[in-house]
């Protein structure tokens, strides 16, 4: 079953100390604090797989709280492959007051970070890009044509 990002919230200390945040395991790191890096690294790895970055906005929020990629059926994020409908259902159940709504992200990573107050690569303790690529490689690639996991 899908584990929503709310299960991996950073502590106040992890928010203040990037090295402490960096030292979390990959699942927690990419669930809370670096989901946007993972989404864009996925797009860079599989540019022709038919996926699009999507942000989850809570009610009245100006910025998304979580990013994932989807082809409209399958989603990929910190928890690997999940049906998008399950990702949305479980995430909403974990925090019903937030009324999370998905919206496509139609900009590059640097612009996204600037507009939506997400940490750019250079402000992490270390560059998270290679870490994201290694994490993505742990999961099956999208199947050619179908966009679903193998």
């Amino acid at each position: 079953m899908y584990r929503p990002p709310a299960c991996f919230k950073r502590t106040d200390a992890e928010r203040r100390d990037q090295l402490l945040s960096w030292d979390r395991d990959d699942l927690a790191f990419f669930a809370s604090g670096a989901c946007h890096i993972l989404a864009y690294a996925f797009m860079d790895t599989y540019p022709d797989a038919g996926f699009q970055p999507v942000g989850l906005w809570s009610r009245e929020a100006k910025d998304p709280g979580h990013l994932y990629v989807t082809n409209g059926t399958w989603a990929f994020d910190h928890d690997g492959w999940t049906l998008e409908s399950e990702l949305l259902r479980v995430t909403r159940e974990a925090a019903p007051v937030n009324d999370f709504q998905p919206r496509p992200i139609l900009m590059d990573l640097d612009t996204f970070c600037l507009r939506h107050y997400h940490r750019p690569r250079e402000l992490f303790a270390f560059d998270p890009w290679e870490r994201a690529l290694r994490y993505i490689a742990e999961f099956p690639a999208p199947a050619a044509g179908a966009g679903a996991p193998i």
Side-chain angles (χ1 to χ4, degrees), residues 58-118:
S58 62
R59 183 178 310 157
E60 300 178 19
K62 295 179 183 177
D63 303 300
H66 184 62
L67 257 70
Y68 63 94
V69 296
T70 185
N71 67 356
T73 301
W74 287 98
F76 183 88
D77 72 354
H78 64 278
D79 215 30
W81 290 107
T82 308
L83 288 170
E84 185 178 27
S85 58
E86 180 181 347
L87 181 154
L88 292 171
R89 179 183 55 76
V90 172
T91 301
R92 288 171 176 154
E93 287 172 359
V97 70
N98 290 328
D99 189 31
F100 287 111
Q101 297 301 314
R103 296 184 203 160
I105 304 294
L106 305 173
M107 61 197 76
D108 63 40
L109 176 60
D110 291 336
T111 305
F112 172 79
C113 290
L114 183 64
R115 286 189 187 168
H116 294 291
Y117 303 103
H118 278 62

Side-chain angles (χ1 to χ4, degrees), residues 10 21 24 28-37 118-119 124:
R10 287 178 290 162
S21 182
R24 294 174 299 155
F29 182 74
F30 291 116
S32 180
C35 59
H36 58 299
I37 302 295
H118 278 62
R119 188 175 305 279
F124 282 83

